[in-house]
């Protein structure tokens, strides 16, 4: 049994190493005993995402059936059934060790199922409904593992950081998501800047954004930074051994937005990534930062995003 559990944690770690470069690097800054539990959560979320997005040879109905089968196996495992899966034993063990909220996992799986049927979001409030399960609950899941001096106060900043990370991904991956038939930038935002899906598709083909698309992306960058600003106070509330990890993740993911800005908001020229030398420097600074060092919050232009566009967050 212990051998199978060890193998399961290793499978999750390897999945994390291969696909979550930024997050994996940050996780290396955690105390060793916490790392495998973070790998387990990553393995759970990544595998569900793989079923939805990386099985292009399967029809949507077949992918939905596969996601339902895997979800049922997970739920059965929560009720004590043995599971024949390389990742789930580690996930179930982590849930048990930290008594994680099962509803968070159910919410996450619901959002993954949405990706098989929902292709657009009329408003940011609608998108937040999806991101509640796909991003905010990840912060809730992580918090008991990270530890905190005040869990009640730290919960909302953790959720905000999940939203910030996800919106950063949406901004960076507009072209990739469009290829899968989805647009995560809300319809109301496209309308605000006079952008159509055909315009986005044309930008993918040309590998160049129009001025209107650049204005749209700049707007979304400001919105994401408001989420980062809301998340920042939570870092000081984490257990001391966890702060370097989240400080590094915060800075590195925010650095993706810096790369978008440096490219003049053209996310179609190349994929926005933080250079390796900068990753290493950020990790080193996070590890060496004294406990009282405040996190650097990127400047935001709150006037660029109407209050109604972020208040639901």
């Amino acid at each position: 049994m212990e051998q199978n559990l060890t193998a399961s944690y290793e499978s999750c770690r390897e999945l994390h190493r291969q696909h979550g470069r930024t997050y994996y690097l940050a996780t290396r800054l955690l105390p060793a005993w916490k790392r495998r539990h973070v790998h387990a959560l990553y393995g759970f979320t990544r595998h569900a995402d793989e079923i939805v997005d990386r099985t292009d040879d399967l029809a949507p109905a077949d992918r939905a059936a596969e996601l339902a089968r895997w979800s049922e196996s997970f739920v059965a495992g929560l009720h004590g059934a043995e599971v024949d899966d390389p990742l789930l034993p580690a996930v179930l063990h982590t849930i048990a060790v930290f008594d994680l909220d099962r509803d968070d996992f159910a919410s996450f799986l619901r959002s993954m199922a949405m990706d098989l049927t929902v292709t657009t979001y009329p408003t940011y409030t609608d998108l937040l409904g999806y991101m509640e399960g796909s991003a905010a609950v990840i912060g809730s899941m992580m918090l008991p593992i990270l530890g905190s001096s005040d869990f009640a106060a730290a919960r909302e900043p953790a959720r905000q950081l999940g939203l910030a990370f996800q919106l950063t991904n949406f901004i960076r991956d507009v072209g990739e998501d469009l290829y899968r038939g989805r647009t995560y930038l809300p319809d109301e935002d496209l309308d605000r800047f006079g952008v159509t899906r055909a315009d986005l598709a044309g930008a993918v083909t040309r590998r160049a954004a129009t001025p209107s698309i650049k204005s749209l992306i700049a707007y979304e960058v400001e919105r994401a930074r408001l989420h980062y600003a809301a998340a920042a106070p939570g870092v000081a509330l984490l257990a001391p051994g966890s702060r370097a990890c989240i400080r590094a993740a915060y800075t590195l993911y925010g650095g993706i937005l810096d790369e978008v800005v440096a490219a003049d908001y053209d996310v179609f020229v190349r994929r926005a990534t933080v250079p390796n030398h900068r990753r290493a420097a950020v990790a080193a600074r996070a590890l060496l930062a004294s406990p009282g060092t405040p996190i650097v919050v990127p400047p935001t232009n709150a006037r660029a995003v109407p209050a109604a566009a972020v208040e639901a967050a």
Side-chain angles (χ1 to χ4, degrees):
M1 179 67 177
E2 183 60 33
Q3 184 177 3
N4 291 340
L5 186 59
T6 299
S8 181
Y9 272 113
E10 177 57 24
S11 295
C12 291
R13 188 199 69 80
E14 183 59 23
L15 193 64
H16 196 175
R17 187 189 68 80
Q18 289 180 7
H19 298 288
R21 292 177 57 208
T22 297
Y23 192 22
Y24 184 80
L25 173 62
T27 302
R28 299 282 293 173
L29 304 179
L30 284 173
W33 71 270
K34 291 187 178 186
R35 290 177 203 159
R36 68 173 188 166
H37 298 296
V38 176
H39 297 326
L41 292 186
Y42 182 90
F44 177 82
T45 58
R46 180 70 191 194
H47 185 69
D49 186 64
E50 292 277 309
I51 294 172
V52 171
D53 284 341
R54 309 294 178 180
T55 51
D56 293 335
D57 55 325
L58 296 179
D62 294 328
R63 279 180 271 169
E66 174 60 19
L67 181 63
R69 184 204 63 77
W70 192 71
S71 300
E72 289 167 3
S73 180
F74 166 68
V75 172
L78 286 176
H79 290 88
E82 290 190 18
V83 293
D84 182 17
D85 183 273
L87 305 175
L88 288 180
V91 178
L92 295 167
H93 182 254
T94 291
I95 291 172
V97 168
F98 293 94
D99 192 24
L100 301 184
D101 189 341
R102 276 68 166 168
D103 288 343
D104 285 342
F105 291 83
S107 180
F108 173 80
L109 291 171
R110 281 194 298 272
S111 285
M112 292 301 97
M114 287 175 64
D115 275 336
L116 294 169
T117 59
V118 180
T119 59
T120 62
Y121 294 88
T123 69
Y124 193 58
T125 298
D126 294 318
L127 182 62
L128 281 170
Y130 167 81
M131 292 169 67
E132 167 64 26
S134 65
V137 300
I138 306 300
S140 297
M141 293 176 190
M142 282 283 295
L143 190 55
I145 298 172
L146 298 173
S148 175
S149 58
D150 188 338
F151 282 99
R155 183 174 183 273
E156 187 55 30
R159 289 166 49 81
Q160 289 290 329
L161 193 57
L163 295 173
F165 288 173
Q166 175 121 87
L167 191 52
T168 298
N169 287 339
F170 289 161
I171 292 167
R172 179 192 62 193
D173 298 335
V174 172
E176 184 177 331
D177 291 330
L178 198 64
Y179 171 78
R180 296 193 176 103
R182 301 187 208 116
T183 308
Y184 289 108
L185 305 185
D187 293 344
E188 64 182 3
D189 294 355
L190 270 67
D191 292 343
R192 177 186 297 273
F193 294 98
V195 175
T196 66
R197 283 176 186 76
D199 294 333
L200 295 175
V204 173
T205 301
R206 293 189 309 273
R207 300 190 66 177
T210 64
S212 294
I213 293 175
K214 289 182 180 181
S215 295
L216 168 66
I217 297 301
Y219 179 82
E220 303 299 347
V221 167
E222 289 302 319
R223 172 180 270 151
R225 283 182 165 162
L226 292 174
H227 286 294
Y228 280 101
V235 177
L237 298 174
L238 298 176
S242 297
R243 290 175 195 165
C245 167
I246 302 306
R247 184 185 295 274
Y250 183 107
T251 305
L252 289 172
Y253 266 92
I256 294 173
L257 296 182
D258 294 338
E259 295 297 320
V260 170
V261 174
D264 192 26
Y265 301 100
D266 192 340
V267 295
F268 303 98
V269 174
R270 61 176 179 81
R271 196 168 195 262
T273 58
V274 178
N276 286 335
H277 70 274
R278 187 176 168 198
R279 290 169 183 262
V282 166
R285 286 197 298 270
L287 192 60
L288 295 173
S290 61
T293 304
I295 197 161
V296 177
V297 180
T300 59
N301 180 6
R303 289 179 297 176
V305 183
V310 295
E311 63 183 9

